[in-house]
Amino acid sequence: MSWLDRAILSLSPERGLARVRARTKAQALMNYDAASKGRRTHGWKAPGSSADSAAQGSRSQLRNLSRDMERNRALAVRGRDVVTGNVVGTGILPSVRMKNEANADKAMKVVRQHLLTPDIDAYGVSALPALQAQVMNAVFTDGEVLVRRRIRNLQYEPDFLLPFQVQLMEVDHLDEGITSHGKNEVVEGIEYGPTGRAVAYHLFDRHPGDIARFGRSSLKSTRVPAGQILHIRRVDRPGQQRGVPWLAPVMMTLGELSDYQEAQILKQRIAALLAFFVEASDTGGTYDGQKMSELQPGAIVGLEEGQKITASDPPVVGGYQEFMNQGIRSVAMGLGISYESFGDLKGVNFSSGKMGRMEMDRFVDVWQRQLIIGQFCHGIGRWMKEVWPLAREVRKLPPVPEDFEWTAPKRPMIDPSKEIKAAVEEINAGLTSLQRKQREMGQDPDVIAREREEDAARSQPKQKPDAPASDGQTETDPKQESQDGRD
């Protein structure tokens, strides 16, 4: 009872008792054990913060811890590589949609030359597939990444077909010290308009942690309109504007697994330690060898008179494999990937492998469509359509493409003979289209159609030209001559 209940009960027992009875009945009718306060729920924290407020004070710390784990924890870097390898793979490639096939072919050449070469990278290093992998790595590690459009002057860039590049920037570039710009509110470096939509980003011109190159000189931020920025992150709650590292739910488990593994390795090192001890002789002489503090495998240590050595007997910790397997399973579930993707294929057959992949493939498909294609690739396509008219006259380009389509890489098959047969049956039954199934397998239907036509043209037998008859006489069929001779 609260102090008010106790006060009413002491002043008016009848009213106090009625109050307690009413509260007891209400609790019996509306009761959730998880929401109760007691020994079983001691230490549970359940603040009513918004999606962004929950991580606002600890976002940078989570980001730094996530980066450190990927530098030093094998399971963390394996999880990142599995996610990026399945989502991006060899690259999500573009294709153009135009009614005129000739213009579509010309436009596709422009797209390939600009996007599938380092021309698209502001640093001049990576083509689009490599940029996609960097974006996915950053989203996994930091929870979010910024992509900035850089407009270029074609007069000074003779090799570029389109006048823009993209620059990948870690979210550390956000100037979190700014709180307002005019009447707009600025939260963690992002400026929001009256409707709550991001209208600008306040970015440092260089990474705040790049002190090796620039020292600790003061940083200056620049206001960049939101139309020139792609903010790639996973949105889990309504109204969420920022992302969090994907390792956040499993950081504690990763740290404890790593500590446990190091303890097991140290125990094995101690168990494998073999040393020789020399006791003092009757004459009092001692062996002047290595000291006890320098004990190493194979060491010969001299003991002074009266010293005795008692070997330690460390307890044997059993169940190492089972403990590690369960811990890795917890990490895999927290990341949304299969346990087998961490390398343990013991006891896996076609059915179990297929079932595990089915669940993981659903997540991979969501990440492809919502993150890389939905936010990054469609943003790149929008920028291309915006700058295309600027380069059309200068570079003699075809008309602006109507739309861009993006094809994800082929998903590895567990049993190709069974899966291809099932795909053919789906197409024949009308459950899907041929081109959709081709895209699911990582192929561009337009490219396949063109190549099949080329293959058909090559397979046609070449007709030999008829040899001209000499002296104006026509050639006679030898069989006909033989028949005429017999007649």
Side-chain angles (χ1 to χ4, degrees):
M1 292 186 296
S2 64
W3 65 270
L4 181 60
D5 292 331
R6 290 193 296 269
I8 295 175
L9 189 63
S10 61
L11 296 175
S12 177
E14 294 182 357
R15 297 183 61 182
L17 183 59
R19 181 185 176 92
V20 172
R21 287 176 177 174
R23 177 170 296 179
T24 303
K25 291 180 179 180
Q27 291 179 349
L29 294 175
M30 299 177 293
N31 178 47
Y32 283 93
D33 292 339
S36 62
K37 296 181 179 180
R39 177 182 57 82
R40 295 177 63 189
T41 60
H42 178 71
W44 289 14
K45 298 179 181 180
S49 55
S50 65
D52 291 319
S53 299
Q56 187 170 355
S58 57
R59 199 185 307 276
S60 60
Q61 178 66 7
L62 287 173
R63 188 165 60 243
N64 294 333
L65 285 172
S66 178
R67 293 171 181 173
D68 181 74
M69 284 193 169
E70 290 184 9
R71 287 192 294 263
N72 299 292
R73 316 278 181 169
L75 293 176
V77 71
R78 175 64 177 179
R80 183 202 65 187
D81 291 343
V82 168
V83 171
T84 301
N86 281 272
V87 173
V88 177
T90 56
I92 300 175
L93 302 180
S95 58
V96 299
R97 280 291 183 186
M98 301 179 71
K99 296 180 180 179
N100 189 304
E101 294 185 3
N103 289 336
D105 292 339
K106 295 178 182 178
M108 195 62 211
K109 291 180 181 179
V110 176
V111 172
R112 288 196 189 99
Q113 182 171 340
H114 193 71
L115 296 188
L116 303 185
T117 65
D119 290 350
I120 187 61
D121 186 9
Y123 300 109
V125 176
S126 304
L128 184 64
L131 293 179
Q132 293 170 349
Q134 294 178 37
V135 167
M136 195 65 238
N137 284 343
V139 171
F140 181 92
T141 304
D142 302 342
E144 53 192 338
V145 66
L146 303 175
V147 184
R148 183 176 180 180
R149 180 178 64 178
R150 295 288 192 174
I151 299 296
R152 305 305 186 197
N153 191 332
L154 293 181
Q155 295 181 353
Y156 303 104
E157 302 291 349
D159 297 332
F160 288 0
L161 291 181
L162 296 176
F164 85 103
Q165 292 180 305
V166 298
Q167 178 186 8
L168 302 189
M169 307 176 70
E170 293 182 325
V171 291
D172 304 67
H173 285 264
L174 288 171
D175 186 356
E176 299 183 357
I178 300 177
T179 58
S180 64
H181 182 82
K183 296 183 178 180
N184 293 337
E185 183 183 19
V186 181
V187 181
E188 294 184 300
I190 303 177
E191 180 181 337
Y192 299 97
T195 62
R197 183 176 182 179
V199 296
Y201 291 79
H202 295 261
L203 305 176
F204 292 122
D205 55 353
R206 61 179 184 271
H207 197 289
D210 198 1
I211 60 176
R213 293 176 56 191
F214 301 103
R216 296 185 179 275
S217 59
S218 60
L219 295 172
K220 295 182 179 180
S221 60
T222 304
R223 183 179 184 271
V224 182
Q228 300 180 20
I229 297 293
L230 300 178
H231 188 183
I232 317 299
R233 75 280 193 195
R234 189 175 72 181
V235 178
D236 297 321
R237 292 177 60 182
Q240 181 177 344
Q241 298 291 336
R242 300 290 304 273
V244 293
W246 290 20
L247 290 177
V250 296
M251 280 184 181
M252 296 292 290
T253 303
L254 282 172
E256 291 168 351
L257 284 177
S258 180
D259 294 342
Y260 173 76
Q261 194 173 27
E262 290 179 2
Q264 288 288 341
I265 294 174
L266 181 60
K267 181 178 74 69
Q268 295 297 328
R269 290 179 60 185
I270 295 175
L273 181 63
L274 177 63
F276 301 91
F277 300 93
V278 180
E279 295 188 14
S281 62
D282 295 338
T283 59
T286 59
Y287 172 75
D288 189 14
Q290 289 182 279
K291 299 179 181 179
M292 287 293 297
S293 60
E294 300 174 353
L295 190 62
Q296 298 177 0
I300 301 178
V301 181
L303 301 179
E304 297 181 0
E305 185 177 0
Q307 289 182 334
K308 296 290 184 181
I309 294 295
T310 301
S312 63
D313 186 15
V316 177
V317 181
Y320 170 77
Q321 188 65 44
E322 293 78 8
F323 180 84
M324 289 297 297
N325 289 347
Q326 292 300 324
I328 295 174
R329 283 189 173 89
S330 299
V331 173
M333 286 188 293
L335 297 179
I337 59 181
S338 64
Y339 167 75
E340 291 78 16
S341 62
F342 279 93
D344 187 2
L345 301 178
K346 182 180 179 180
V348 177
N349 53 30
F350 174 78
S351 299
S352 61
K354 184 65 176 178
M355 292 296 292
R357 277 282 304 277
M358 285 174 61
E359 291 296 325
M360 178 175 167
D361 286 350
R362 289 191 181 97
F363 291 119
V364 170
D365 187 57
V366 170
W367 300 332
Q368 284 178 342
R369 296 180 182 276
Q370 295 185 0
L371 296 177
I372 301 301
I373 296 179
Q375 298 183 36
F376 181 62
C377 293
H378 284 174
I380 297 295
R382 184 180 72 251
W383 285 347
M384 281 196 297
K385 294 172 72 173
E386 291 176 357
V387 303
W388 197 288
L390 303 176
R392 185 178 179 187
E393 296 298 329
V394 179
R395 294 289 187 257
K396 306 299 180 183
L397 301 182
V400 181
E402 298 174 4
D403 198 4
F404 296 93
E405 294 186 351
W406 302 89
T407 303
K410 177 182 178 181
R411 303 285 299 136
M413 295 183 179
I414 299 178
D415 191 336
S417 61
K418 295 181 180 179
E419 297 183 51
I420 292 178
K421 182 179 178 181
V424 172
E425 292 177 353
E426 287 183 15
I427 296 172
N428 294 335
L431 300 178
T432 185
S433 63
L434 176 60
Q435 60 177 339
R436 176 174 295 185
K437 186 60 66 174
Q438 289 171 342
R439 291 190 183 279
E440 290 178 1
M441 294 186 175
Q443 304 296 331
D444 188 340
D446 296 334
V447 174
I448 292 179
R450 185 181 67 249
E451 292 178 349
R452 286 176 65 88
E453 291 178 359
E454 294 173 355
D455 292 341
R458 289 194 186 100
S459 62
Q460 291 293 335
K462 296 182 179 180
Q463 297 180 355
K464 296 182 180 180
D466 296 335
S470 59
D471 298 334
Q473 297 179 357
T474 58
E475 293 183 352
T476 306
D477 188 356
K479 295 182 179 180
Q480 184 66 32
E481 289 183 353
S482 177
Q483 184 68 26
D484 294 343
R486 288 195 296 271
D487 293 343

